[in-house]
Amino acid sequence: MNQIVECVPNFSEGRDKKVIDEIIKAIESVSGIEVLDIDMGADTNRTVVTFIGNPNIISEAAFQGVKKASELIDMRTHEGTHPRMGATDVCPFIPVANVSMDDCIEIAKKTGKRIGAELNIPVYLYENAASNDERRNLATVRSGEYEGLKEKLKDSNWKPDYGTSDFNAGAGATAVGAREFLIAYNINLNTNDRTYANEIAYEIRERGRWKREGNIEPFYYKGDVVYFDEKKYPDGNSDFVGKSFEELSAYYKEKYGKDLRKRYESLGLEPDNLIGKPVYKEGKFTHVKGLGWVIPEYNRAQISMNLTNYKISPLHEIFDVACAEAEKRGIRVTGSEIVGLIPYDAMKDAAVHYLSKMHKSPGLPVSDLMNIAVQSLGLSDVANFNPKDKVLGMPKSDGELANRITFDFVDEVSRDSPAPGGGSVAALSGALGAALGTMVANLSTSKAGFEEHKNKLAKIAEKGQITKDKLIRAIDADTSAFDEVIKAMRMPKDTDEEKNKRDIEMQKGYQSATLVPLKTVENCRNALDICKQISEIMDEGMASDVGSGALMANAGAISASYNVRINLKSINDKKFSSDTNKKLNRLLNECEQILITITKNVEKCL
């Protein structure tokens, strides 16, 4: 599976492009890293870099960036409007595809430990990687900023998680963390009245609008100083700003005939506990920040949001609530917009949600799922949305062979070259078998009489798509499986030492080349299982498709097994050969038994 981790370090330099270029060069020196975005800010004197890679390399790339920043940025001369405490101020790791938050926490700890040990930079872990609750909030960790760091490090409560407690005047300190993906998401309205966008934003976002009781404004106070509703008194221009709570209470008593203190008590609040805190009602979603504004170039109102945990507050649910709230106000949502990138899982969840509303199976190809999500959310309302450019971690097949059209692939197999050969054809055969079983499951979802099987059909189709995609990737994997063997064959063999080293590498290559077709056999067995499950509930008219799929999958398994066996003849490790043979025979026996069951189910319908 393609694993992707995102890293978004913030460097305290936003004016000297040469410095940033050197830092980017250091990050990209790690093979396999892809830099997605570089956002320099002159006023903040800060640059936000976004890059991705797999879990095995992302830590190294982050470390190289932090190291280079510590060499080129001197915090003693740094000025900017953004809070900061180090040359690399923050360095979060974010799970994007097939990676867990726990994985990112371990990467953060590994990276932080190395920064502290090798660069002598104090490191604080924050967000999900934090060592205690007080350090989860970045603002708390960064309090005092660079100017207060020297004294902060003397406080035993603020001993760094890694590195020295000595003040590093040049590099400052770095916060390393793990957090969820932040999605910048906007919802568009068919009006240019910002008031509507703000009202809906208040209903959606985590911190909703101020609590009211009738026409009484939600006053609050800090010490003895009174403040007012930010909407009605945006500049604090009121006769009662700066007055005491008792003076305000007297005003309420005279004007409304109500006791302000009792009003707070009726809401379950104590005035003394409201010091510096306005009283808000909760919005409908947590982990959502939002406000309304007007897009100048389109002259339309928009709800602009940051979703800090799309797994808890999915964007499709937010979109649906926005549509409902807009309708209450006599306006309409025209679509929405993703600013930057979005994880594949967020888009897939949206597609599954809307397919469920349509009473359709979610077990569709990736391209179809993305199309459903884009259309349902109106993501091309103000600008074209291309999933290939905007969706991170989207499953895809980059293989040269897999991307060829059918007759081109068949022609390639027929040529006088050893690859693609039987292994690639076996994988294709298995993929077609999985595809046929999945097709029947998808078609059955909308057929009358299959209502009770809806959930089972959806699971069959989803598993079928996963199995099909694995086998498609195996088409190219099998062709390149022998690369290690060929590379070893080309090693020098002039001395006994060179011969021995060459033999060792060739054996490693043969073992790797054996495991690839063995995995194809396993996935062909899974494709057969897809056909078996659907054969138990299929419509009679689809029996031939299920039977054909089963035969294709079984043929793929047998064909791939030939590749396993012929490679085993070149392997000297008896235990490896014995274990592989046992697993191969077990898989083939399972395939045979599953095929027998499917054949019986199919022939009953013929």
Side-chain angles (χ1 to χ4, degrees):
M1 298 295 285
N2 189 27
Q3 294 181 294
I4 299 177
V5 176
E6 182 183 58
C7 184
V8 191
N10 288 211
F11 300 105
S12 295
E13 174 57 65
R15 298 164 185 168
D16 190 338
K17 188 174 182 298
K18 291 181 180 179
V19 169
I20 298 303
D21 286 346
E22 286 297 309
I23 293 172
I24 298 301
K25 185 178 178 181
I27 292 170
E28 290 182 327
S29 69
V30 179
S31 179
I33 289 295
E34 182 181 357
V35 175
L36 300 176
D37 189 59
I38 303 166
D39 185 8
M40 294 182 67
D43 291 338
T44 57
N45 200 8
R46 184 182 188 86
T47 297
V48 180
V49 178
T50 303
F51 62 91
I52 58 173
N54 69 53
N56 299 321
I57 62 173
I58 200 81
S59 177
E60 176 67 23
F63 175 81
Q64 292 302 329
V66 172
K67 180 182 179 183
K68 184 59 67 175
S70 70
E71 296 168 357
L72 300 178
I73 299 172
D74 189 345
M75 290 303 295
R76 287 168 290 197
T77 60
H78 183 271
E79 292 181 354
T81 59
H82 198 287
R84 77 286 180 271
M85 65 177 181
T88 303
D89 187 48
V90 295
C91 183
F93 295 92
I94 301 112
V96 174
N98 304 309
V99 178
S100 69
M101 179 57 71
D102 286 341
D103 293 331
C104 286
I105 290 171
E106 288 306 310
I107 294 170
K109 290 179 177 179
K110 173 185 174 182
T111 308
K113 184 176 182 179
R114 188 178 176 194
I115 292 170
E118 297 185 28
L119 304 179
N120 294 318
I121 295 174
V123 173
Y124 293 101
L125 297 173
Y126 77 105
E127 285 257 357
N128 289 287
S131 54
N132 59 56
D133 286 342
E134 188 179 8
R135 297 188 181 189
R136 287 184 70 89
N137 190 310
L138 177 60
T140 304
V141 171
R142 198 163 48 195
S143 62
E145 297 189 44
Y146 172 79
E147 288 74 14
L149 183 60
K150 188 173 184 180
E151 289 301 312
K152 188 174 186 175
L153 288 166
K154 295 176 183 178
D155 185 346
S156 60
N157 293 323
W158 283 102
K159 180 182 178 181
D161 291 295
Y162 298 112
T164 178
S165 290
D166 296 333
F167 179 53
N168 186 326
T174 297
V176 181
R179 63 169 174 80
E180 291 291 354
F181 196 100
L182 187 150
I183 301 174
Y185 183 51
N186 302 329
I187 294 177
N188 310 318
L189 304 174
N190 67 336
T191 177
N192 60 5
D193 189 338
R194 178 183 175 181
T195 303
Y196 287 116
N198 260 328
E199 286 182 358
I200 298 172
Y202 286 138
E203 294 296 327
I204 290 172
R205 71 187 193 184
E206 182 164 5
R207 191 179 75 172
R209 42 174 98 247
W210 293 41
K211 286 186 176 178
R212 301 171 182 270
E213 183 182 309
N215 58 354
I216 299 179
E217 299 298 331
F219 294 105
Y220 69 104
Y221 68 101
K222 180 178 180 182
D224 286 331
V225 180
V226 174
Y227 294 84
F228 289 83
D229 182 298
E230 61 182 352
K231 186 176 179 184
K232 187 164 184 179
Y233 304 104
D235 302 316
N237 294 326
S238 168
D239 294 338
F240 289 90
V241 170
K243 301 289 185 180
S244 71
F245 185 80
E246 295 306 323
E247 289 177 286
L248 181 62
S249 296
Y251 166 79
Y252 262 67
K253 186 72 173 177
E254 180 181 346
K255 184 164 184 177
Y256 299 110
K258 293 189 177 183
D259 188 309
L260 189 58
R261 188 174 294 276
K262 286 184 178 179
R263 177 238 172 174
Y264 278 120
E265 290 173 354
S266 71
L267 296 172
L269 303 168
E270 289 291 334
D272 291 343
N273 295 329
L274 299 175
I275 295 175
K277 298 179 182 178
V279 186
Y280 292 98
K281 79 168 189 177
E282 292 181 357
K284 288 184 169 64
F285 295 96
T286 61
H287 305 282
V288 176
K289 301 174 183 177
L291 51 80
W293 73 306
V294 175
I295 316 172
E297 58 266 41
Y298 298 107
N299 190 33
R300 72 163 88 178
Q302 186 180 72
I303 307 157
S304 181
M305 291 169 285
N306 281 337
L307 316 186
T308 57
N309 193 329
Y310 70 90
K311 295 174 182 176
I312 294 176
S313 297
L315 80 164
H316 56 269
E317 291 185 10
I318 293 169
F319 182 78
D320 286 352
V321 168
C323 290
E325 291 295 331
E327 191 168 343
K328 287 179 187 177
R329 292 161 174 79
I331 58 173
R332 294 188 64 82
V333 166
T334 61
S336 62
E337 176 187 22
I338 300 295
V339 181
L341 304 173
I342 182 171
Y344 169 71
D345 284 347
M347 291 289 286
K348 180 186 176 184
D349 289 346
V352 170
H353 169 75
Y354 291 111
L355 282 166
S356 177
K357 284 191 166 189
M358 301 174 200
H359 305 290
K360 291 187 176 181
S361 167
L364 297 174
V366 170
S367 58
D368 290 13
L369 291 174
M370 294 302 97
N371 187 48
I372 289 291
V374 170
Q375 290 191 20
S376 301
L377 295 167
L379 288 174
S380 293
D381 180 34
V382 296
N384 183 48
F385 184 95
N386 187 342
K388 291 181 180 179
D389 299 329
K390 301 284 284 184
V391 180
L392 268 179
M394 185 167 64
K396 56 185 178 180
S397 178
D398 292 324
E400 179 185 352
L401 297 174
N403 284 325
R404 291 189 176 186
I405 57 177
T406 304
F407 67 80
D408 187 19
F409 177 78
V410 174
D411 279 352
E412 185 64 26
V413 172
S414 71
R415 292 192 174 102
D416 57 350
S417 58
S424 294
V425 172
L428 176 61
S429 180
L432 289 170
L436 278 169
T438 303
M439 176 195 79
V440 175
N442 280 325
L443 286 171
S444 300
T445 302
S446 57
K447 288 182 75 70
F450 284 83
E451 291 81 7
E452 64 179 294
H453 300 300
K454 181 180 177 182
N455 290 335
K456 184 175 182 179
L457 289 167
K459 289 178 181 178
I460 293 172
E462 287 183 276
K463 186 179 177 183
Q465 292 290 349
I466 293 170
T467 302
K468 179 208 70 180
D469 289 343
K470 286 180 179 179
L471 285 162
I472 287 174
R473 287 192 289 271
I475 294 172
D476 284 272
D478 189 87
T479 299
S480 58
F482 237 67
D483 288 351
E484 288 183 47
V485 177
I486 295 171
K487 185 178 179 182
M489 284 179 175
R490 292 170 179 167
M491 291 175 66
K493 51 181 178 178
D494 297 326
T495 66
D496 289 341
E497 183 180 353
E498 287 177 344
K499 288 178 182 177
N500 184 54
K501 187 175 180 180
R502 177 176 178 269
D503 288 343
I504 291 172
E505 292 304 312
M506 283 185 66
Q507 284 298 305
K508 288 181 182 177
Y510 276 120
Q511 288 189 15
S512 296
T514 301
L515 293 175
V516 172
L518 183 65
K519 192 67 179 177
T520 297
V521 176
E522 183 177 350
N523 283 320
C524 285
R525 188 275 315 273
N526 293 340
L528 272 164
D529 191 55
I530 297 297
C531 294
K532 174 179 173 288
Q533 290 182 57
I534 194 63
S535 75
E536 294 167 349
I537 55 176
M538 65 186 174
D539 183 275
E540 288 187 357
M542 297 180 177
S544 61
D545 293 312
V546 175
S548 297
L551 291 171
M552 292 295 291
N554 193 57
I558 295 172
S559 177
S561 74
Y562 292 158
N563 280 27
V564 175
R565 286 172 174 156
I566 200 165
N567 288 338
L568 284 175
K569 294 174 68 175
S570 302
I571 294 174
N572 299 326
D573 187 331
K574 301 302 181 186
K575 186 177 185 306
F576 177 88
S577 296
S578 175
D579 291 346
T580 302
N581 256 321
K582 286 179 182 177
K583 183 173 182 180
L584 177 63
N585 289 330
R586 175 177 59 80
L587 289 170
L588 289 174
N589 286 334
E590 289 175 4
C591 288
E592 184 178 355
Q593 294 305 312
I594 295 171
L595 182 61
I596 289 171
T597 301
I598 297 170
T599 302
K600 288 179 180 178
N601 292 337
V602 168
E603 290 186 349
K604 287 178 186 176
C605 303
L606 300 179

